[in-house]
């Protein structure tokens, strides 16, 4: 077990009825958690449904379609969803709550944008669902390697073998990757899939 | 914090800026630089009067870039326990005072995307220093200053000269007041609101903002409570093994200090929590006047903030 304090901790998503505007962002397996939030808003804060938007990718939008909501949008790619997220936050007012559900790498990307807007922990809630695959930031060449499932990985930028650490950067939305065999070239630990 | 760390200062200028507010400029007695501070900081001014020592918190209003002087504004309080009257009636150019190091309990959020500053009356003082920190920066801000009448609007000319369109002034005498709904319903994400002034103004701003869904991490306020007058009571200090009498017009902290026991403090206004003291025994009730303890902690009765809180009791033992 790592004692690293930078590793994010998640808890099940619930609606925050104190919010005035709600933005629900889901990717892949995140759909169910957002359904739960929407259900809670319908009972606890029905007035705010007209100020609630849902942005999804990689998960069906049909269960969310409701003319009572301010908007429900599906996107073909993660990049398109993130671009709309940034544009929406640019137009949003204080009093907004952001709910993020999906794989950890997705949550990290959205939080990275939320950070630009000075959103604090009392305005953003997250629930991790789906793959544990990590985004890895190479501390040597600064390239990011996506969807890493193993204890070590080839850097997409400089091709070094990187050990995937538990040290997480919110600013880079990635775990740190450090060269494995810097001191003993060619000496590599067995390759194991540990982030399924 | 205690008086041993005090800085001796001399009054370099005094100006009556409104019928109730005096503006004091202080410099170090040794002529050297004063400690650095950031906008929103306050100092404790120690006033050694004939019969008692007053220690009152005042926000620094001078530029944090100046180390040669500190400026404070002191409003004459109608129901003064003596401190503000001492500053108004006894202190003149050349008077010597002692101050404690600046402490900031009302700092600007460093990564805010916008600042909304709201002042009521003498509550303008911490903002004067904060504005100096904001000048020349990239972060947008606006100042809303609500005050009784033009005659009572301290430092208005200073603000008008420097702030231009970012300054919004509301005179009660002209029937103008801040439209809190318009101000708080549509601020961009990442805005922080800061309010300093009378309790009613602070409560109104916080209630309105929360009603529009603002989270507490974006709301900042400062109000120094003067220790209220109350019934006399006795307290036993367990570690000092000393019984102390608290008269009606003296605070618990002041009484402890007058008995020669040094208790911790920073703000002396019920804000910072530094004087937090454990209650070991109690026969009666605590009268909490601070803004620090939660309602649950106040109800539990296991701790007290001696700077502003009192007790109605037959027996009280503190861990001091």
């Amino acid at each position: 077990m790592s004692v690293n304090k930078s590793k994010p901790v998640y808890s099940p998503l619930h609606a925050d009825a104190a919010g005035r505007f709600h933005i629900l962002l889901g990717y892949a397996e995140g759909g169910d958690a957002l359904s739960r939030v929407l259900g809670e808003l319908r009972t606890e804060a029905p007035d705010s449904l007209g100020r609630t938007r849902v942005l999804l990718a990689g998960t069906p939008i049909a269960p969310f379609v409701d003319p009572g909501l301010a908007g429900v949008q599906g996107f073909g790619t993660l990049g398109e969803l993130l671009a709309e997220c940034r544009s929406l936050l640019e137009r949003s007012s204080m009093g907004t709550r952001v709910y993020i559900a999906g794989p950890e790498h997705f949550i990290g990307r959205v939080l990275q944008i939320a950070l630009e807007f000075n959103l604090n922990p009392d305005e953003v809630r997250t629930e991790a669902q789906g793959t544990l695959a990590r985004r890895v930031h190479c501390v040597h060449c600064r390239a990011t390697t996506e969807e890493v499932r193993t204890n070590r990985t080839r850097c997409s930028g400089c091709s070094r073998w990187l050990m995937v650490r538990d040290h997480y950067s919110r600013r880079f939305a990635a775990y740190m990757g450090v060269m494995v065999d810097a001191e003993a070239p060619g000496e590599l630990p067995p390759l194991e899939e540990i982030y399924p | 914090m205690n008086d041993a760390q005090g800085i001796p200062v001399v009054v370099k200028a005094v100006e009556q800026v409104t019928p109730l507010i005096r503006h004091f400029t202080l410099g170090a007695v040794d002529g050297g630089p004063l400690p650095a501070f950031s906008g929103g900081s306050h100092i404790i001014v120690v006033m050694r009067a004939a019969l008692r020592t007053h220690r009152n918190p005042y926000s620094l209003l001078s530029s944090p870039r100046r180390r040669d002087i500190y400026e404070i504004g002191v409003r004459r309080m109608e129901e003064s326990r003596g401190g503000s009257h001492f500053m108004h009636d006894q202190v003149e150019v050349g008077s010597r005072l002692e101050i404690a190091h600046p402490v900031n309990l009302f700092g600007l959020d460093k990564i805010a995307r916008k600042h909304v500053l709201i002042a009521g009356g003498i509550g303008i003082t911490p903002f004067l220093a904060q504005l100096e920190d904001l000048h020349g920066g990239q972060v947008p801000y606006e100042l809303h200053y609500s005050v009784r009448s033009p005659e009572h609007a301290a430092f208005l000319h200073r603000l008008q000269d420097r702030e231009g369109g970012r300054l919004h002034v509301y005179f009660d005498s002209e029937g103008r007041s801040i439209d809190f709904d318009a101000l708080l319903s549509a601020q961009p994400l990442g805005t922080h609101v800061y309010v300093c002034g009378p309790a009613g103004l602070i409560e109104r701003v916080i209630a309105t903002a929360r009603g529009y869904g603002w989270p507490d991490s974006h709301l900042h306020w400062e109000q120094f409570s003067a220790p209220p007058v109350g019934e006399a009571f006795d307290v036993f200090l367990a570690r000092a093994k000393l019984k102390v009498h608290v008269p009606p017009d003296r605070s618990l902290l002041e009484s402890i200090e007058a008995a020669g026991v040094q208790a911790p403090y920073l703000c002396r206004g019920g804000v910072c929590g530094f004087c937090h003291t454990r209650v070991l025994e109690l026969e009666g009730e605590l009268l909490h006047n601070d803004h620090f303890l939660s309602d649950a902690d106040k109800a539990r009765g296991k701790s007290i903030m001696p700077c502003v809180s009192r007790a109605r009791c037959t027996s009280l033992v503190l861990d001091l």
Side-chain angles (χ1 to χ4, degrees):
Chain A
M1 225 13 221
S2 169
V3 292
N4 195 308
K5 297 278 199 312
S6 67
K7 195 174 176 328
V9 178
Y10 308 97
S11 49
L13 271 188
H14 290 288
D16 181 0
R20 181 168 155 80
F21 304 91
H22 304 272
I23 300 174
L24 283 58
L25 300 130
Y27 183 65
E29 290 90 339
D32 289 348
L34 295 187
S35 295
R36 184 191 325 127
V37 171
L38 203 50
E40 290 175 357
L41 286 174
R42 284 199 173 91
T43 51
E44 293 168 28
D47 293 351
S48 69
L49 289 175
R51 296 186 294 268
T52 298
R53 290 182 179 276
V54 184
L55 277 57
L56 302 167
T59 184
I61 74 162
F64 292 92
V65 173
D66 174 350
L69 300 179
V72 179
Q73 290 170 274
F75 297 88
T77 67
L78 181 56
E80 287 167 18
L81 186 156
L82 294 173
E84 176 57 22
C85 169
R86 178 175 274 108
S87 151
L88 182 56
L89 293 181
E90 196 68 65
R91 308 192 298 273
S92 293
S93 298
M94 283 304 300
T96 300
R97 296 296 183 275
V98 175
Y99 307 86
I100 314 166
E104 190 179 53
H105 70 84
F106 167 71
I107 293 173
R109 298 290 295 279
V110 180
L111 286 178
Q112 190 181 24
I113 296 170
L115 202 60
E116 292 172 24
F117 290 87
N118 185 218
L119 286 168
N120 287 338
D122 52 359
E123 303 167 275
V124 183
R125 297 175 174 207
T126 59
E127 178 173 332
Q129 292 290 347
T131 177
L132 298 177
R134 293 181 165 191
R135 299 183 83 221
V136 175
H137 173 88
C138 175
V139 304
H140 310 285
C141 80
R142 301 188 162 222
T144 303
T145 306
E146 303 280 349
E147 290 193 57
V148 176
R149 295 171 192 276
T150 47
N151 57 331
R152 58 181 164 91
T153 186
R154 279 262 187 218
C155 174
S156 62
C158 63
S159 300
R160 286 180 175 93
W161 274 108
L162 303 176
M163 179 61 75
V164 179
R165 303 199 53 212
D166 275 350
H167 176 181
Y168 185 78
S169 161
R170 292 191 305 149
R171 201 160 68 81
F172 294 129
Y175 289 90
M176 297 297 107
V178 183
M179 189 175 179
V180 179
D181 56 345
E183 288 171 21
E187 242 178 63
L188 299 171
L191 195 66
E192 293 176 77
E193 178 172 310
I194 56 174
Y195 309 116
Chain B
M1 184 68 54
N2 57 53
D3 294 347
Q5 297 153 317
I7 304 161
V9 293
V10 59
V11 176
K12 303 180 94 164
V14 182
E15 187 188 355
Q16 185 84 30
V17 290
T18 78
L20 291 173
I21 297 174
R22 284 196 154 207
H23 173 203
F24 296 88
T25 304
L26 313 173
V29 166
D30 66 10
L34 292 159
F37 69 99
S38 52
S41 299
H42 73 271
I43 54 172
I44 303 289
V45 177
V46 183
M47 301 159 236
R48 301 200 190 279
L51 294 174
R52 62 190 290 182
T53 298
H54 302 282
R55 293 176 182 82
N56 285 10
Y58 295 108
S59 295
L60 291 174
L61 61 89
S62 44
S63 167
R65 283 187 285 277
R66 289 193 68 171
R67 300 282 300 276
D68 56 331
I69 55 157
Y70 283 167
E71 294 175 75
I72 57 172
V74 179
R75 183 186 192 279
R76 188 183 184 94
M77 308 304 283
E78 290 85 357
E79 293 180 19
S80 170
R81 295 162 55 261
S84 72
H85 285 195
F86 181 89
M87 289 298 289
H88 276 250
D89 302 336
Q90 313 274 328
V91 176
E92 52 194 25
V93 173
S95 293
R96 296 206 170 188
L97 295 163
E98 205 176 288
I99 61 172
H101 272 72
V103 171
N104 199 345
L105 304 173
F106 194 51
L108 294 166
D109 187 280
K110 294 286 187 290
I111 55 170
R113 296 174 73 236
K114 180 177 178 183
H115 303 285
V116 175
L117 316 176
I118 304 173
I122 188 68
I124 192 67
T125 52
F127 296 126
L128 290 162
Q130 288 185 341
L131 290 165
E132 298 283 347
D133 284 339
L134 292 172
H135 289 156
Q138 300 295 315
V139 182
Y141 66 90
E142 52 193 66
L143 171 64
H144 299 263
Y145 183 15
S146 172
V147 65
R148 206 185 295 187
S149 66
E151 180 192 31
H152 285 279
F155 311 108
L156 186 58
H157 295 300
R158 190 189 278 217
L159 290 167
Q160 282 169 333
D161 290 347
R162 297 182 198 171
E163 303 303 332
R166 288 178 295 216
L167 172 67
H168 307 263
V169 186
Y170 310 79
F171 296 122
D172 298 347
S173 58
E174 294 176 359
R176 290 202 63 213
S177 56
I178 300 173
D179 182 344
F180 295 102
D181 292 300
L183 185 58
L184 297 168
S185 60
Q187 292 292 348
L189 280 185
T191 304
H192 285 249
V193 65
Y194 308 81
V195 55
C196 185
L201 174 73
I202 294 174
E203 285 160 18
R204 182 84 190 277
V205 168
I206 292 170
T208 307
R210 284 185 181 150
Y212 284 110
W214 287 61
D216 283 357
S217 68
H218 288 253
L219 304 176
H220 313 269
W221 65 90
E222 183 159 80
Q223 182 197 19
F224 294 120
S225 308
V229 172
E231 293 170 27
F233 62 100
D234 290 329
V235 57
F236 185 75
L237 309 181
R239 280 190 264 168
K241 297 189 172 53
L242 195 66
K243 187 178 164 186
V244 174
H245 180 68
V246 184
D249 64 341
R250 200 175 269 203
S251 74
L252 177 52
L253 176 60
E254 288 165 344
S255 305
I256 292 167
E257 288 169 340
V261 175
Q262 291 218 331
Y265 72 81
L266 276 184
C267 79
R268 301 185 83 91
V271 179
C272 73
F274 202 74
C275 68
H276 183 280
T277 301
R278 284 205 306 146
V279 173
L280 301 176
E281 281 177 48
L282 172 68
E283 297 276 339
E285 60 169 332
L286 301 176
L287 306 172
H288 296 286
N289 297 308
D290 62 276
H291 309 290
F292 179 79
L293 292 173
S294 67
D295 289 344
D297 281 339
K298 287 179 181 176
R300 215 167 284 133
K302 294 293 180 198
S303 39
I304 188 168
M305 316 306 292
C307 67
V308 291
S309 296
R310 307 179 64 87
R312 185 182 294 129
C313 60
T314 51
S315 161
L316 172 64
V317 180
L318 296 181
D319 184 22
L320 276 174

